[in-house]
Amino acid sequence: MTGTAALHGITVIDASTLFAGPMTAMHLGDVGAEVIKVEHPRRPDPARGHGPELNGQNIWSKTLGRNKRTVQIDLATPEGAAVFRRLAAGADVVIENFRPDTLERWGLGYPELSVDNPGLVLARITGFGQIGPYRRRPGFGTLAEAMSGFAAATGDPDGPPTLPPFGLADGIASLAAAFAISTALYQRTMTGKGTVIDLAIVEPIMAMLGPQLSRWDLLGTAAPRLGNRSANNAPRNIYRTSDDKWVAVSTSSQSIAERVVRLVGRPDLVAQPWFSSGHTRAEHADELDATVGGWIADRTQQDVIEQFEAAQAAVAPIYQPADILADPQFQALGTVLRVADPDFGEFAMQGPLFRMAEGAGPVRHTGRDPGADTRAVLTELGYSEPEVDRLLADGVVAAADGAVGADTGGGRADES
């Protein structure tokens, strides 16, 4: 990583599992931070078992673990805790998602870690935060999607509440956590002191849901489930084309709505009193969907897109992965990267979230096996080769090229 990367010189210890914490560390690594992932010697991150595999290798972990060095330490043992304290003493950020009080039980709470490193930023990412009656509950993103109000507002009007088929709450939380950590690092430049970040996975997704709480508090009504429609504008839906494909249409602005109905042969609708605002147009969604959907159904997806673009109206095709890979806009942006990997050769993955004129960093390597860098990292911390060998033999640490001792019984709870 070159010195021009935005977070060059920042060291992040990723002691988290599953998704919100590891994704946070991935984002920071994408812009230059050195990330060291800490996993249990006998129970590595469960994310390594999620999703598809190829030749016994997990595919997703190759992306989730990109730019990260990997070490394995049993933090529940006194010697393992001592290794971690030495590691944290030279770090800028520690990300963890153990259940509240777990780090404290191991002597690794912020008071202990900050003695040797008063500038340390400790990001604690759990389902429900460090305080309150739910603080010790397992906090998977699914629970956040349920309790935030997202599921209640999602789905067809006559159907059940609906969960997303991927880690939406975890992904949103990772963005919030990366923002919080960046804020804390900037604050440190002014105060010289680190801090503790308490991020509950349920809160960032709740913040994304708009005025649902204010609506209830002021009006006493909850937003209904509308399927692919919106209460704020119409036409807004997905529509099937004549070649059995789909497009999405949005009319968030009044001018776009007018262009759409003129395009589909109903300029008379613009003169209707109810057409003058998105809210009142949404009350006539049945009529608008029938009009727009009927016009689209008689045309191919390509024809629909071309005519919408000519009219400067908003439309997008519903993409499958193959479409994403072939799309010239994504190719121009560099949205998808092809990265070399020792197990898969070159393969595609989503790239960093944004581009910077200066300060962005490349993907230096894909996710590595657990413990791939244990020996190197411990040597950098000042451990001699015989000391590393003893820690390996005792099961305090593990390495990709070394034996692992007996299980001590310590380890993780289901925290993320």
Side-chain angles (χ1 to χ4, degrees), residues 12-166:
V12 176
I13 309 303
D14 175 12
S16 61
T17 62
L18 292 170
F19 310 117
M23 288 182 71
T24 301
M26 182 193 74
H27 297 319
L28 300 175
D30 282 344
V31 288
E34 179 189 6
V35 181
I36 301 172
K37 183 171 181 62
V38 176
E39 298 174 86
H40 191 278
R42 289 155 294 279
R43 294 183 298 281
D45 189 343
R48 293 183 180 274
H50 281 250
E53 294 185 351
L54 176 63
N55 299 327
Q57 288 282 339
N58 181 265
I59 293 176
W60 193 10
S61 63
K62 293 288 189 177
T63 298
L64 199 58
R66 69 187 180 203
N67 296 331
K68 300 180 186 180
R69 304 169 80 192
T70 63
V71 302
Q72 292 180 281
I73 309 171
D74 188 345
L75 305 185
T77 65
E79 285 188 298
V83 174
F84 189 81
R85 283 197 298 270
R86 194 182 297 192
L87 190 61
D92 299 280
V93 179
V94 170
I95 300 171
E96 64 96 5
N97 67 334
F98 296 99
R99 292 192 195 180
D101 303 327
T102 301
L103 282 187
E104 286 75 10
R105 189 171 68 249
W106 295 336
L108 297 174
Y110 193 73
E112 290 81 10
L113 296 180
S114 62
V115 166
D116 296 323
N117 187 355
L120 182 68
V121 173
L122 175 61
R124 316 194 75 166
I125 304 173
T126 57
F128 301 103
Q130 299 294 310
I131 60 175
Y134 302 158
R135 61 192 290 268
R136 294 189 60 81
R137 285 187 181 181
F140 298 107
T142 298
L143 308 189
E145 289 147 9
M147 294 181 67
S148 64
F150 173 86
T154 305
D156 292 326
D158 56 351
T162 303
L163 296 168
F166 58 93

Side-chain angles (χ1 to χ4, degrees), residues 323-337 352 354-355:
D323 303 309
I324 295 172
L325 291 172
D327 187 276
Q329 178 64 26
F330 294 143
Q331 292 172 1
L333 291 173
T335 304
V336 179
L337 303 179
F354 52 86
R355 287 152 299 284

Side-chain angles (χ1 to χ4, degrees), residues 63-380:
T63 298
L64 199 58
R66 69 187 180 203
N67 296 331
K68 300 180 186 180
R69 304 169 80 192
T70 63
V71 302
Q72 292 180 281
I73 309 171
D74 188 345
L75 305 185
T77 65
E79 285 188 298
V83 174
F84 189 81
R85 283 197 298 270
R86 194 182 297 192
L87 190 61
D92 299 280
V93 179
V94 170
I95 300 171
E96 64 96 5
N97 67 334
F98 296 99
R99 292 192 195 180
D101 303 327
T102 301
L103 282 187
E104 286 75 10
R105 189 171 68 249
W106 295 336
L108 297 174
Y110 193 73
E112 290 81 10
L113 296 180
S114 62
V115 166
D116 296 323
N117 187 355
L120 182 68
V121 173
L122 175 61
R124 316 194 75 166
I125 304 173
T126 57
F128 301 103
Q130 299 294 310
I131 60 175
Y134 302 158
R135 61 192 290 268
R136 294 189 60 81
R137 285 187 181 181
F140 298 107
T142 298
L143 308 189
E145 289 147 9
M147 294 181 67
S148 64
F150 173 86
T154 305
D156 292 326
D158 56 351
T162 303
L163 296 168
F166 58 93
L168 178 63
D170 287 290
I172 295 173
S174 76
L175 299 176
F179 168 60
I181 289 167
S182 300
T183 301
L185 290 173
Y186 178 74
Q187 177 181 258
R188 189 181 67 176
T189 66
M190 296 182 288
T191 66
K193 297 180 180 180
T195 192
V196 179
I197 295 167
D198 176 11
L199 189 143
I201 295 173
V202 69
E203 291 181 304
I205 187 172
M206 188 184 298
M208 298 298 105
L209 294 177
Q212 60 160 354
L213 299 181
S214 301
R215 170 179 176 156
W216 176 262
D217 195 47
L218 294 173
L219 303 177
T221 61
R225 288 192 291 279
L226 297 173
N228 292 313
R229 288 179 173 176
S230 169
N232 302 312
N233 68 85
R236 192 270 197 177
N237 214 322
I238 61 169
Y239 306 94
R240 191 191 299 267
T241 60
S242 64
D243 52 349
D244 203 29
K245 297 180 180 180
W246 296 88
V247 295
V249 172
S250 176
T251 57
S252 294
S253 72
Q254 182 66 23
S255 61
I256 294 292
E258 293 176 6
R259 291 170 193 166
V260 168
V261 295
R262 289 190 175 106
L263 172 64
V264 301
R266 291 296 307 276
D268 58 295
L269 293 176
V270 176
Q272 295 294 325
W274 53 262
F275 199 85
S276 61
S277 75
H279 176 71
T280 51
R281 291 200 311 273
E283 295 174 353
H284 293 259
D286 286 344
E287 179 180 355
L288 290 168
D289 274 346
T291 298
V292 175
W295 184 89
I296 289 174
D298 291 336
R299 291 160 175 82
T300 66
Q301 184 189 68
Q302 186 61 38
D303 185 28
V304 169
I305 292 171
E306 289 176 355
Q307 293 202 47
F308 263 72
E309 288 183 349
Q312 298 185 39
V315 69
I318 303 296
Y319 270 179
Q320 294 287 348
D323 303 309
I324 295 172
L325 291 172
D327 187 276
Q329 178 64 26
F330 294 143
Q331 292 172 1
L333 291 173
T335 304
V336 179
L337 303 179
R338 289 200 168 272
V339 183
D341 178 78
D343 299 302
F344 300 156
E346 186 181 77
F347 75 104
M349 65 171 65
Q350 299 97 316
L353 300 173
F354 52 86
R355 287 152 299 284
M356 299 174 67
E358 295 182 7
V363 173
R364 304 180 297 279
H365 58 80
T366 56
R368 295 177 175 172
D369 291 337
D373 303 285
T374 298
R375 287 183 180 273
V377 170
L378 265 62
T379 300
E380 292 165 11

